[in-house]
Amino acid sequence: MHEETRVGLAEKSSVVVGGTSGLGLVIARRLAELGSPVAIIGRDRKKGEAAAAVLGNDALFIESDIGDHRCVDAAFDELARRFQSLHFAVNCAGVTGGHAPIRRMDTNDWDRLMKVNCSGVFYCLRREIEMIRRTPGGAIVNVSSCAGALAIPNQAAYVSSKAALNLLTQVAAIENAVDHDDGFSVRVNAVAPGPILGGMNTPERLAADPDNTRRKIDVTAMKRFARPEEVAASVLYLLGPGATYVTGAILDVDGGYRAGKF
Ligand SMILES: NC(=O)c1ccc[n+]([C@@H]2O[C@H](COP(=O)([O-])OP(=O)(O)OC[C@H]3O[C@@H](n4cnc5c(N)ncnc54)[C@H](OP(=O)(O)O)[C@@H]3O)[C@@H](O)[C@H]2O)c1
């Protein structure tokens, strides 16, 4: 870890929404290692408490379904009671599935993906901004996907939810780019990862659909999946002091997936 990032993040509190498994847990672990008091949010209490125990350093787990705005408000009320201040937020919770052509796409699948990946982040974002703007130097990173910029057949709900998340990120960045009389600026960026090992891509799922796994590798210029630590490093960069002039960016962390197919 670059020394500048270490100095910039230590002692400043963070919340990782969707920090109980996969990429989110790796991000939460890096923040905790840097000395940041960390809270993680997820639906599954057993999984969340186990993750908090792994993080150590008095990490806090808060149970919440971000698809329900009342649940999100209750979670952030608890966060505000437990943390004196909040400096950083990472919105990593996301769901996939329900792959089908639009003409056969199930309404419940469309609603579920939009509710979590897009509306859920909005419910969190508005509470995070309210808390973070009370202290200077705060930042937020949303975890989007390279799919948010690509028309991938059979994935209309996922790509649409992540495309909406990209613009939500940029509007939040512009609205909070400068200090106001009643609050400080907050930088808001997103990472757009390509395929990552772990998380949604469990070894069982990859093995169950070898053609799809091979295809993901084929269309990635670097011909491999990312390690979650590689994506976490980009999230840490966007939160840290090396990125103080970066806001409204959607940073591809995708091994060249989006840039080209040649
Ligand atoms: N894996 C990839 O290849 C890949 C590629 C590009 C982008 N991404 C994005 O990266 C993010 C993390 O993916 P991952 O692969 O690490 O997935 P994961 O292991 O399934 O983790 C998802 C996290 O989100 C939480 N979550 C899901 N629905 C939630 C809800 N309604 N309310 C609160 N928390 C919820 C989960 O906790 P609970 O289950 O306890 O709720 C878990 O902590 C997602 O946004 C995904 O779209 C992943």
Side-chain angles (χ1 to χ4, degrees), residues 17-25 41-45 47-48 61 64-68 91-96 116-117 143-147 158 162 165 191-201 205 216 225:
V17 181
T20 60
S21 66
L23 175 62
L25 180 54
I41 293 179
R43 289 166 302 182
D44 183 332
R45 172 160 290 279
K47 187 167 88 172
F61 165 68
S64 181
D65 180 346
I66 67 160
D68 178 340
N91 294 306
C92 193
V95 287
T96 186
V116 177
N117 297 355
V143 177
S144 181
S145 167
C146 63
Y158 188 72
K162 294 295 190 179
L165 175 58
V191 289
I196 308 166
L197 288 174
M200 295 169 176
N201 292 317
R205 272 198 207 166
K216 281 182 178 168
F225 280 55

Side-chain angles (χ1 to χ4, degrees), residues 98-102 105 110 113-114 152-161:
H99 295 177
I102 291 170
M105 186 168 283
W110 173 271
L113 266 66
M114 296 305 281
I152 303 177
N154 303 321
Q155 293 198 40
Y158 188 72
V159 304
S160 302
S161 69

Side-chain angles (χ1 to χ4, degrees), residues 9-260:
L9 300 182
E11 307 298 327
K12 294 182 175 173
S13 53
S14 314
V15 62
V16 182
V17 181
T20 60
S21 66
L23 175 62
L25 180 54
V26 174
I27 294 167
R29 200 180 66 219
R30 292 298 296 126
L31 286 163
E33 284 166 359
L34 291 166
S36 174
V38 177
I40 53 175
I41 293 179
R43 289 166 302 182
D44 183 332
R45 172 160 290 279
K46 210 167 152 197
K47 187 167 88 172
E49 285 175 349
V54 166
L55 293 174
N57 199 25
D58 291 332
L60 172 69
F61 165 68
I62 302 176
E63 182 183 336
S64 181
D65 180 346
I66 67 160
D68 178 340
H69 66 90
R70 285 169 296 262
C71 246
V72 171
D73 283 340
F76 278 87
D77 288 347
E78 184 178 346
L79 185 69
R81 279 194 297 276
R82 303 287 290 270
F83 280 6
Q84 306 263 307
S85 57
L86 184 67
H87 297 88
F88 303 117
V90 179
N91 294 306
C92 193
V95 287
T96 186
H99 295 177
I102 291 170
R103 68 180 187 282
R104 286 206 295 270
M105 186 168 283
D106 188 85
T107 309
N108 292 331
D109 286 328
W110 173 271
D111 288 348
R112 182 175 60 87
L113 266 66
M114 296 305 281
K115 201 166 75 170
V116 177
N117 297 355
C118 181
S119 302
V121 179
F122 162 70
Y123 303 145
C124 295
L125 198 52
R126 59 183 174 184
R127 295 298 303 261
E128 291 160 359
I129 292 168
E130 271 308 328
M131 285 183 78
I132 292 174
R133 70 198 296 275
R134 290 182 216 145
T135 51
I140 298 172
V141 175
N142 293 328
V143 177
S144 181
S145 167
C146 63
L150 293 167
I152 303 177
N154 303 321
Q155 293 198 40
Y158 188 72
V159 304
S160 302
S161 69
K162 294 295 190 179
L165 175 58
N166 290 350
L167 275 176
L168 181 66
T169 301
Q170 290 177 319
V171 173
I174 299 314
E175 287 178 356
N176 294 282
V178 295
D179 293 346
H180 290 282
D181 289 343
D182 62 344
F184 295 98
S185 64
V186 182
R187 293 184 304 101
V188 188
N189 294 290
V191 289
I196 308 166
L197 288 174
M200 295 169 176
N201 292 317
T202 56
E204 298 75 40
R205 272 198 207 166
L206 296 181
D209 193 349
D211 288 347
N212 191 33
T213 302
R214 171 57 47 198
R215 191 174 143 61
K216 281 182 178 168
I217 293 171
D218 282 347
V219 296
T220 302
M222 291 179 75
K223 304 296 177 206
R224 65 174 178 86
F225 280 55
R227 287 179 287 108
E229 291 77 12
E230 293 176 299
V231 182
S234 297
V235 172
L236 270 284
Y237 156 71
L238 287 171
L239 292 177
T244 50
Y245 197 55
V246 183
T247 199
I250 313 297
L251 178 62
D252 290 331
V253 190
D254 66 356
Y257 190 110
R258 192 183 67 83

